[in-house]
Amino acid sequence: MRAKAIVALLAAGALGLSGCGFKGLYSANLPGGADLGNHPFTLTAYFDDVLDLVPQSSVRVNDVSVGKVKSISLDGWTAKVTLVVNDSVKLPDNATAAINQTSLLGEKFVSLGQPVGQPSSTNLHNGSVIKLDHTRSAAEVEQVLGALSLLLNEGGLRQIKVIGDELTKATKGNESAIRDLLTQLNTFVGTLDNQKTDITSALDSIDKLSVTLNRQKQVLVDALDTFPQALQVLSQERGKLVNLLTSLDHLGVVATDVINSTQNQLVSSLNSLNPVLTQLKNSGDDFPQSLKILGTFPFPLGTTRTLVRGDYANLDAYLNLSLVPTLCGLSAALCPGAKTNSTSTKKVTAGSNSAGAKRLQPMIIGGGR
């Protein structure tokens, strides 16, 4: 009967634990833990190394337990520790968190403390986060023993002495060369520092060029694919290109000869134009002012309104285009049978086909009231 009772008790305990969502011993509340109060709040702290900190470890303020570690997880390369703290804790929002231990071989706990700098105006509350730059971990026993071992073994001073001796041997007799090297290195570093802005601008330009080339990547690929065909065409047309360049060379020679041969004539022609251009320049405003007379020909400028009474005026003009009288006057041999003293101009009526003269139709010269 006693064995049956024990089995029943174990079964009931297992059933109770399964019904409450048992997740291992870390999920079980340990006796004698910190008093979390009626309204505890949760906050998160990030550490580089949590050592062997485990859930259910205590959270302390001035060595007084005020909470516990709820969970530990990995967030990237950083340890994320979730803490549950009594709401009576009043610490600034930029408080520090450290992983300490009760003794040299004691258990680990999280210690909350005042910030190093200026305290924040707000306090820790539910959801607060203590960032990595406000947390630290205490030294481990292994680290202490390792430092002690390094100290007892001369701390590597023997190896440092060997390195120093070898450096002395290497530099002995080369002081001038080393000094010159350091001087040149100093000049080089100084020049780089002075050109820092230019180097940065060059790097930025290279970055922009790379972006542009990346955008035009397909165009460059197409161009590179076309290059072999273009080179093949150039190779096939090589003879014609050579002939073209040879002809251009001959043309240059001929053009040079022409310029050299006509140089004197060209200079002479330009010198001949000099008097004409000089007189035209000297005429100044007289030449454009004389153009106004053409509109009133054959009447003097400014007298049209006084000479013509009415709205318009008629003019009969005779234009003699015959060169025969002129030629006959020069030489009788040019016009045999013609009299040299004959008049060369005669009045013809409109519609006449007589050579040398034609009557122009009446034209309006101008006028007005």
Side-chain angles (χ1 to χ4, degrees):
M1 294 295 295
R2 185 176 183 182
K4 292 181 179 180
I6 293 174
V7 172
L9 181 59
L10 292 176
L15 181 61
L17 291 175
S18 62
C20 295
F22 182 68
K23 299 180 180 179
L25 292 177
Y26 286 141
S27 64
N29 293 323
L30 299 179
D35 182 15
L36 300 179
N38 296 327
H39 302 285
F41 62 89
T42 302
L43 56 92
T44 303
Y46 289 91
F47 294 89
D48 281 329
D49 187 359
V50 292
L51 307 176
D52 56 351
L53 185 72
V54 295
Q56 299 298 333
S57 297
S58 63
V59 178
R60 300 184 181 186
V61 176
N62 296 330
D63 285 336
V64 177
S65 296
V66 295
K68 65 179 181 179
V69 177
K70 181 178 181 182
S71 63
I72 301 174
S73 59
L74 188 63
D75 186 0
W77 294 96
T78 306
K80 178 181 177 182
V81 180
T82 304
L83 310 176
V84 180
V85 183
N86 193 305
D87 60 350
S88 62
V89 175
K90 304 298 181 183
L91 287 174
D93 199 20
N94 58 344
T96 60
I99 297 178
N100 296 324
Q101 55 190 52
T102 55
S103 61
L104 187 61
L105 299 176
E107 65 174 348
K108 302 293 189 302
F109 65 91
V110 178
S111 176
L112 300 178
Q114 294 290 337
V116 177
Q118 183 69 26
S120 176
S121 58
T122 58
N123 292 330
L124 290 174
H125 55 277
N126 190 50
S128 294
V129 177
I130 301 177
K131 298 181 180 180
L132 198 61
D133 56 348
H134 284 70
T135 62
R136 60 182 178 84
S137 301
E140 283 278 80
V141 177
E142 293 84 354
Q143 296 175 344
V144 175
L145 295 178
L148 180 61
S149 174
L150 185 63
L151 178 63
L152 295 177
N153 289 290
E154 299 181 359
L157 295 178
R158 183 177 304 170
Q159 290 81 0
I160 295 177
K161 181 178 182 302
V162 173
I163 295 173
D165 293 340
E166 295 299 326
L167 285 176
T168 302
K169 293 178 182 179
T171 56
K172 186 176 181 180
N174 299 318
E175 292 83 358
S176 301
I178 295 175
R179 187 181 298 107
D180 183 65
L181 174 63
L182 293 177
T183 303
Q184 294 182 16
L185 183 62
N186 181 54
T187 304
F188 175 71
V189 174
T191 304
L192 287 180
D193 183 67
N194 294 333
Q195 301 295 328
K196 181 170 56 179
T197 303
D198 296 336
I199 294 173
T200 303
S201 301
L203 293 176
D204 293 338
S205 300
I206 292 175
D207 178 66
K208 294 178 181 178
L209 176 62
S210 300
V211 173
T212 303
L213 291 177
N214 184 59
R215 287 200 301 262
Q216 302 294 331
K217 181 169 59 178
Q218 188 59 43
V219 178
L220 294 175
V221 171
D222 295 339
L224 292 175
D225 292 339
T226 308
F227 272 156
Q229 302 175 4
L231 293 175
Q232 184 178 2
V233 172
L234 290 176
S235 178
Q236 294 174 354
E237 301 295 331
R238 180 176 178 274
K240 296 181 180 179
L241 291 175
V242 172
N243 293 334
L244 174 63
L245 295 176
T246 304
S247 302
L248 287 176
D249 179 65
H250 294 165
L251 176 62
V253 174
V254 173
T256 302
D257 293 339
V258 171
I259 293 174
N260 292 333
S261 300
T262 59
Q263 178 180 2
N264 296 331
Q265 291 81 352
L266 180 61
V267 172
S268 177
S269 301
L270 294 176
N271 290 331
S272 301
L273 286 175
N274 184 51
V276 178
L277 297 176
T278 302
Q279 295 302 323
L280 184 62
K281 172 181 175 298
N282 294 334
S283 64
D285 297 334
D286 296 337
F287 180 73
Q289 292 295 333
S290 64
L291 297 178
K292 296 191 297 183
I293 303 176
L294 296 177
T296 61
F297 181 83
F299 303 105
L301 181 63
T303 60
T304 305
R305 294 182 178 272
T306 58
L307 293 177
V308 179
R309 299 296 180 178
D311 294 334
Y312 62 89
N314 293 336
L315 174 66
D316 289 340
Y318 293 87
L319 181 62
N320 185 6
L321 300 178
S322 177
L323 296 178
V324 174
T326 303
L327 296 176
C328 292
L330 294 176
S331 175
L334 296 178
C335 49
K339 294 181 179 181
T340 57
N341 58 353
S342 62
T343 180
S344 60
T345 304
K346 61 179 180 178
K347 184 176 180 181
V348 295
T349 60
S352 173
N353 56 1
S354 299
K358 183 174 179 62
R359 182 178 180 180
L360 302 179
Q361 295 296 330
M363 60 181 179
I364 298 176
I365 301 302
R369 297 172 181 171

